[in-house]
Amino acid sequence: MKGAIRRLGSARLELALVPKSAGWIAVPGPLGEEVAGILADESRCYGCETLPAIAARSLSPEELAQIPELWERAFAAARALQGNVSRTIVGVRPSLSGGLVLEVSGLPDAQMPEEERALSELLRQPVRLVAVAVQSHYGGLGRPRGGDDLAERALVRLLTGSPSLPGGFPRIGTRVETSQGIGTVVSVQTRNRTALVQVGDETVRLSIEELRISERGD
């Protein structure tokens, strides 16, 4: 069957021909096989039909036992690489054979083989750079890109932009007009389509249909 997978140390989704009843699998990579986890079957992976499917196999019990060690090796390599890579690293993928694949943002260039040799000497293991496109600021392994504070970025995303989520539900923190005055959405219950709204010193539960997005700042 086909399934959406994510390689250990990567934030990107891929499509693979996976064995049934498998959780962790081995998939080919530029430095030998890599460990990957199955996230969903193809029916639940929107957009996966456009991706080429790669071959995969089940991990042996010995290989399954290696996963914590592979994860620790990737973290150790990431720490050692700080300040030694000219590009933004978006993924650190350890291979089962002892190599390390670095996903870097941007396009391939002529300097990559020289940088691979230098990094291989630094880490004392084979290193391969793979250039990948970075299309969003979410879904990755680390902090959103940008120089401002993470909490400030989160607050901006919460309080600006479209006031409604899919299904017409307001965002937490949205200022809304109610029959009892202007308040702030504290929580939302999708099951019964209600929202908990703080109006002054009181907290009331109201139907989503009763709420209107407030254009006032008070």
Side-chain angles (χ1 to χ4, degrees):
M1 69 173 186
K2 291 183 180 180
I5 68 166
R6 181 173 290 155
R7 297 173 190 253
L8 186 68
S10 175
R12 298 185 304 125
L13 287 180
E14 298 178 73
L15 190 64
L17 298 172
V18 299
K20 292 184 178 180
S21 303
W24 291 95
I25 54 174
V27 294
L31 290 178
E33 290 183 311
E34 303 172 28
V35 172
I38 302 175
L39 302 182
D41 60 45
E42 186 181 19
S43 65
R44 300 181 60 186
C45 177
Y46 301 106
C48 282
E49 64 276 1
T50 63
L51 300 175
I54 56 178
R57 66 170 178 83
S58 299
L59 293 179
S60 68
E62 292 76 18
E63 290 169 332
L64 281 170
Q66 290 183 44
I67 292 178
E69 180 184 345
L70 292 172
W71 194 238
E72 288 296 329
R73 182 156 58 87
F75 268 107
R79 289 192 293 267
L81 289 170
Q82 291 184 5
N84 291 293
V85 182
S86 61
R87 302 174 181 224
T88 300
I89 300 176
V90 295
V92 181
R93 296 162 21 198
S95 70
L96 284 166
S97 58
L100 196 70
V101 179
L102 300 181
E103 295 180 344
V104 294
S105 61
L107 298 173
D109 60 40
Q111 302 299 319
M112 290 180 70
E114 296 181 8
E115 194 164 4
E116 288 174 347
R117 285 192 290 271
L119 294 174
S120 296
E121 293 179 2
L122 174 67
L123 298 178
R124 298 182 180 180
Q125 60 181 302
V127 174
R128 181 67 54 87
L129 299 181
V130 176
V132 298
V134 179
Q135 299 178 337
S136 66
H137 298 305
Y138 55 89
L141 294 178
R143 296 166 64 90
R145 296 178 61 190
D148 49 330
D149 182 73
L150 177 61
E152 182 178 343
R153 287 175 63 88
L155 186 61
V156 169
R157 288 183 60 86
L158 182 67
L159 299 179
T160 62
S162 173
S164 296
L165 296 175
F169 297 103
R171 296 179 185 272
I172 306 301
T174 298
R175 297 286 286 174
V176 293
E177 296 180 3
T178 75
S179 59
Q180 302 183 39
I182 294 179
T184 302
V185 176
V186 177
S187 66
V188 173
Q189 284 191 356
T190 58
R191 180 181 301 177
N192 56 14
R193 295 187 61 81
T194 63
L196 198 61
V197 180
Q198 181 76 36
V199 181
D201 295 329
E202 297 183 3
T203 302
V204 294
R205 183 165 297 282
L206 302 168
S207 168
I208 295 296
E209 284 68 25
E210 297 179 47
L211 307 181
R212 296 292 181 271
I213 304 303
S214 176
E215 296 181 358
R216 298 168 54 186
D218 57 349

